[in-house]
Amino acid sequence: MSKQYDSIDLMKFIFCLCIIGIHTNISSIFPKALQLLIGRGFFRLAVPFFFVCSGFWIGKKYLKQPAELDIIIQKYIFRLLIPLIIFENINNLLEIIKQLLRQTPKLTICHDILKHILFYPYGALWYVQASIIAIIIIYPFLKKGRIQIILIISIFLYAFALLCNNYYFLIENSYLQIIVDSYMQLFISARNGIFVGTCFLILGIYVGVHIESPKLYQYTKPLLFISTILYFFELLLVNQHVPLDDGALFVSHLFIAPLLLIILTKSSLHLKHAKYLRNLSTGMYFLHRILIAVIDILSFVTRKILPVTALFFIVILMSILICTYSYTLKNRFFNQLLR
C-alpha cells in the first residue's frame, strides 16, 4: 500500500487560506508587528511550499518509474494547462471590466492584458504558468540524471529574482539597477518559471527522488528551527527597505519550504477527509481571485466596500461551496476541473 501524506494535504489547505489572506489583505486587521510576521512572513511561505510539493510528487513518480519520465512530464503539463487557459480567460475578462469601469483607455487595456498573458497571468495564475515553464526547463536535466546541475543553476536564477524583489536595495544606484528596472518594466515581475519556479520545483523533485534515503531526514528539525529564526531576522532586515514588486521572495524560503516538506513526509497524521482538503486547496486557489474580482466590480458599481474580514470569509465560503458542488457533478470535466 502506498504511503498517505495527509499532513501535506492539510498544510496545502492551510497555505491556500494564506493565499486568500494575502489577496484580501486580511493581515491588515492585526497590529503592525503581527502584519510583518503573518502577512509578509507566514503567508508568503505558501507558494514556495506549493512548488516543492508539486516537485515532490514528480520526483516520487520518477523514482518509481524513471523510464516513464516523458509521460509523467506530459501529464503534469496537460493537467496544469487546461485550468490555466480556462481561468486565465475568465480573469482577463474580469480585469477588462474593472479597467473599463475605471475608464482606462482601451489601447492601454489591450497592452496590459497582452503583457500579463505572456509574462504574469492575472488571477494568481503566475504560479501555474511558472510550474509549466519550470518543468520544461528541468526536463532535459532530469532526463540525463543531472539534478544537481539544474539545482545550482536555479539558485543563481533565484538570486536575480531576489534582486527584483526584496533585495532591490542592494543594487540601488548601480548599473545592475538599470538592468533590473528594464527587465521589470518589460516583464512585470521576476516571479515566473525561470527565476522562481525552477528553483523550488527542482528542490521538491530532489526530495521526491531521495525520499527513501535516511540521509534526507538527518537534522531536518533543528535545521528548520534555525531557518525559521533566520527568516525572522531576514524579515526585520528587508522590512527596513522598500521592495521592488510585492516583497514576496526571501532567501529563507529556499530552506524552510523543502525542510517543512521533508518533516511532513514522516508525519503519521491520518485525516478522514484529507483528499477533500487536497482538492479544495486546488479549487480554492483557482477560484479565489475570480470571486475577489467579482466582488470588486460589485463594490465599484454599488459604491459599497466590504470590510477585509468579511471579504476574506465570503471568498473562502463561496469557493468551498462551488468546489464542493463541482465534486458532485457527473460531468467528468467539471468534476475534475477544481481538483
Side-chain angles (χ1 to χ4, degrees), residues 319-330:
S319 58
I320 288 176
L321 290 174
I322 294 171
C323 287
T324 304
Y325 173 72
S326 75
Y327 302 153
T328 66
L329 296 176
K330 293 182 180 180

Side-chain angles (χ1 to χ4, degrees), residues 209-227:
V209 168
H210 296 86
I211 192 64
E212 296 177 1
S213 172
K215 292 182 179 180
L216 186 69
Y217 299 97
Q218 288 182 341
Y219 313 115
T220 49
K221 290 183 179 180
L223 285 173
L224 179 61
F225 176 76
I226 294 170
S227 298

Side-chain angles (χ1 to χ4, degrees), residues 52 55-56 58-59 135 138 142 147 201-209:
V52 295
F56 171 70
I58 294 171
I135 198 60
I138 292 169
L142 197 57
I147 296 178
L201 202 65
I202 193 61
L203 282 171
I205 291 173
Y206 185 89
V207 173
V209 168

Side-chain angles (χ1 to χ4, degrees), residues 43 130 176 302 315:
F43 283 7
L176 194 54
T302 61
V315 170

